[in-house]
């Protein structure tokens, strides 16, 4: 099988490593890739938001399967163009990708499917903002206001704050830019990321994971694209995972089929485990980053065959997924000033160690690896339990040198110390 992966982050590096281990995968391609993926796949510098360029590349390299990593090509309909050209694609249609591309659409689908989620209101007129703010947040008895950009924002369009003026300023800035705003009630409880392979009505869940969005230890500072993750979740009962699948993922998949937009690919449910049960924070239409790095480190089933079965309507007959024993912890090394405008072009020393996945990296003409994005590397440690996996991950990241680089020191710490409870 010849597989083309679309994207340039650590998620795509993790996908390629897992695909390389599949005995049926004999050729790997990536577009555009990074300095790490260049070592394991043939790289092609195409515009991944251009359906024409992606289709042309897939046909030129005679790809049997295209795996689209990032959300933007999916929301723009690149998967549709590939399927129209007769190329098998792992990734939802433009219509189905609205589950991530529009929070308002996701709320509509959840309401129709009877799925528990936060109460919400769409504000698209600045004149209505103050009245709406009075119906949410501290004014409504919640500990904080939750203000979201209705459109894609790479994980950084959300503000959760007890300060009304901070909430108002964020919402007003979005409205001024022409972006509708979503106000939500606050969902309390530990958060869970559950990936499910979906082929129409067929749903096959993967391991649950937890990611860390805030930039600083103790969940402080602004939101990021993700500063770390771990899997599995020793504190999450197996019956809760079954409940998530049966009460949330399967009804949403069925509702998308009913609407004529069947989902084919990876449906990511971001959830809060509240006192009333699991409730949806958000849906994504692709593998999450950095959770993918931890989840795939534990996958034993052949990934290429699994994704191909999903893409071609054969998921129901694939069989149960197999997982390695133990745990995996991913820690993200970010560039100076991230999640603001990151400093780029710094030399990274130690980036070729085992367990290091590249995200924002490039190779200079002199052979040096330099930073080229905000999240530069993901470091993955595995071990018999979370404590062991943390020790491996932090030992590796401590050996890497990046001027101004920073990372969280508390990824999976509370779980390893048995301090998270449902």
């Amino acid at each position: 099988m010849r597989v083309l992966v679309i994207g340039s982050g650590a998620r795509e590096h993790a996908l390629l490593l897992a695909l390389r281990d599949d005995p049926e995968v004999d050729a790997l391609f990536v577009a555009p890739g990074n300095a790490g993926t260049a070592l394991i796949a043939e790289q092609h510098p195409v515009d991944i938001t251009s359906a024409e360029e992606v289709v042309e590349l897939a046909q030129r390299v005679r790809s049997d399967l295209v795996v689209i990593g990032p959300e933007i090509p999916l929301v723009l309909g690149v998967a549709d163009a590939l399927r129209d050209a007769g190329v098998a694609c792992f990734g939802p249609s433009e219509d189905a990708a609205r589950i991530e591309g529009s929070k308002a659409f996701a709320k509509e689908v959840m309401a129709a499917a009877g799925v528990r989620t936060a109460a919400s209101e769409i504000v698209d007129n600045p004149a209505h903002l103050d009245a709406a703010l009075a119906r949410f947040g501290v004014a409504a008895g919640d500990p904080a206001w939750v203000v979201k950009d209705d459109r894609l924002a790479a994980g950084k369009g959300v503000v959760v704050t007890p300060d009304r003026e901070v909430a108002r300023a964020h919402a007003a800035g979005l409205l001024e830019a022409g972006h509708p705003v979503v106000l939500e009630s606050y969902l309390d409880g530990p958060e869970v990321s559950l990936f499910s392979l979906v082929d129409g009505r067929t749903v096959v869940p993967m391991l649950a994971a937890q990611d860390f969005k805030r930039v600083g230890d103790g969940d402080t500072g602004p939101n990021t694209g993700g500063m770390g993750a771990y899997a599995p979740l020793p504190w999450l009962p197996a019956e809760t995972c079954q409940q998530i699948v049966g009460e949330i993922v399967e009804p949403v998949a069925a509702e998308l089929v009913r609407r004529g937009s069947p989902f084919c690919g990876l449906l990511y449910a971001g959830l809060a485990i509240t006192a009333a049960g699991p409730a949806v924070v958000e849906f994504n239409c692709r593998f999450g980053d950095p959770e993918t790095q931890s989840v795939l480190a534990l996958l034993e089933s052949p990934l290429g065959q699994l994704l191909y079965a999903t893409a071609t309507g054969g998921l129901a007959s694939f069989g149960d997924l197999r997982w390695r024993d133990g745990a995996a912890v991913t820690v993200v090394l970010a560039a100076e000033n991230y999640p603001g405008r990151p400093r780029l072009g710094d030399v990274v020393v130690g980036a070729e160690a085992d367990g290091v996945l590249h995200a924002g990296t490039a190779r200079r003409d002199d052979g040096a690896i330099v930073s080229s994005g905000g999240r530069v590397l993901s470091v993955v440690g595995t071990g018999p339990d979370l404590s062991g996996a943390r020790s491996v991950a932090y030992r590796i990241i401590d050996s890497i040198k990046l001027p101004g680089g920073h990372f969280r020191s508390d990824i999976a710490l509370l779980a390893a110390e048995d301090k998270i409870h449902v």
Side-chain angles (χ1 to χ4, degrees):
M1 192 190 321
R2 301 168 66 83
V3 184
L4 167 62
V5 174
I6 302 298
S8 60
R11 165 184 51 213
E12 287 73 37
H13 197 168
L15 285 164
L16 288 164
L17 287 173
L19 287 164
R20 184 182 63 177
D21 290 340
D22 186 329
E24 288 198 9
V25 174
D26 51 20
L28 285 173
F29 310 89
V30 62
N34 58 46
T37 61
L39 302 176
I40 55 176
E42 183 177 300
Q43 304 216 143
H44 296 268
V46 304
D47 177 2
I48 65 172
T49 67
S50 167
E52 294 79 8
E53 289 192 30
V54 173
V55 169
E56 189 278 330
L57 173 61
Q59 292 174 331
R60 175 157 43 93
V61 301
R62 295 178 292 111
S63 177
D64 299 301
L65 174 67
V66 176
V67 179
I68 299 179
E71 62 274 22
I72 292 177
L74 294 167
V75 170
L76 293 176
V78 173
D80 303 81
L82 285 160
R83 282 191 275 266
D84 288 346
V87 180
C89 179
F90 181 86
S93 66
E94 180 180 354
D95 275 350
R98 288 188 295 160
I99 198 76
E100 177 172 2
S102 168
K103 294 176 180 63
F105 174 77
K107 291 290 187 182
E108 283 180 25
V109 170
M110 284 187 275
V115 168
R116 184 186 296 111
T117 185
S120 65
E121 183 174 336
I122 307 294
V123 181
D124 57 8
N125 185 330
H128 301 156
L129 177 58
D130 287 319
L133 285 169
R135 292 189 284 272
F136 286 86
V138 177
D142 282 344
W145 277 271
V146 180
V147 184
K148 297 182 177 182
D149 190 338
D150 182 51
R151 300 191 288 185
L152 295 176
K156 292 176 277 188
V158 180
V159 163
V160 180
T161 176
D163 189 325
R164 181 187 180 281
E165 292 310 307
V166 172
R168 190 184 191 284
H170 182 61
L174 293 172
L175 290 168
E176 186 177 347
H179 296 202
V181 169
V182 179
L183 299 181
E184 287 188 348
S185 59
Y186 182 84
L187 292 176
D188 200 5
E191 292 197 4
V192 170
S193 300
L194 183 67
F195 295 169
S196 293
L197 298 145
V198 179
D199 169 15
R201 292 181 182 273
T202 303
V203 173
V204 176
M206 303 186 84
L207 288 181
Q210 187 178 63
D211 77 330
F212 295 75
K213 289 292 188 190
R214 301 277 189 165
V215 72
D217 284 4
D219 291 328
T220 58
N223 274 349
T224 72
M227 293 298 293
Y230 67 95
L233 309 183
W235 49 267
L236 186 69
E239 57 266 27
T240 303
C241 283
Q242 295 165 2
Q243 182 184 9
I244 293 168
V245 174
E247 296 182 4
I248 294 175
V249 185
E250 290 179 341
V252 164
E255 175 61 18
L256 290 171
V257 170
R258 190 191 69 78
R259 289 169 176 248
S261 305
F263 194 97
C264 176
L266 194 290
L267 186 58
Y268 167 134
L271 310 128
I273 310 302
T274 72
V280 176
V281 176
E282 64 176 353
F283 276 108
N284 291 336
C285 64
R286 37 70 193 184
F287 278 105
D289 183 345
E291 298 99 319
T292 299
Q293 291 87 294
S294 292
V295 171
L296 291 187
L298 299 173
L299 180 67
E300 198 168 70
S301 297
L303 183 65
Q305 297 169 55
L306 176 60
L307 302 188
Y308 187 80
T310 307
T312 57
L315 183 59
S317 59
F318 185 83
D320 294 336
L321 301 188
R322 302 190 310 276
W323 299 96
R324 299 180 180 93
D325 293 334
V329 172
T330 299
V331 183
V332 170
L333 177 62
E336 182 176 338
N337 201 44
Y338 178 79
R341 185 185 295 274
R343 195 174 83 180
L344 308 178
D346 288 312
V347 173
V348 188
V349 177
E352 295 176 328
D354 289 342
V356 177
L357 304 180
H358 290 234
T361 64
R363 193 176 292 275
R364 277 193 330 210
D365 292 342
D366 64 2
I369 293 174
V370 297
S371 58
S372 63
R375 292 187 295 172
V376 181
L377 302 171
S378 284
V379 174
V380 183
T382 57
D385 53 25
L386 286 176
S387 294
R390 273 177 47 82
S391 295
V392 173
Y394 282 106
R395 183 171 68 247
I396 297 169
I397 205 166
D398 284 339
S399 71
I400 299 170
K401 307 301 179 188
L402 171 65
H406 60 97
F407 58 89
R408 284 184 58 160
S409 66
D410 62 347
I411 304 300
L413 178 60
L414 293 179
E417 295 178 342
D418 194 25
K419 292 181 178 178
I420 301 178
H421 303 283
V422 176

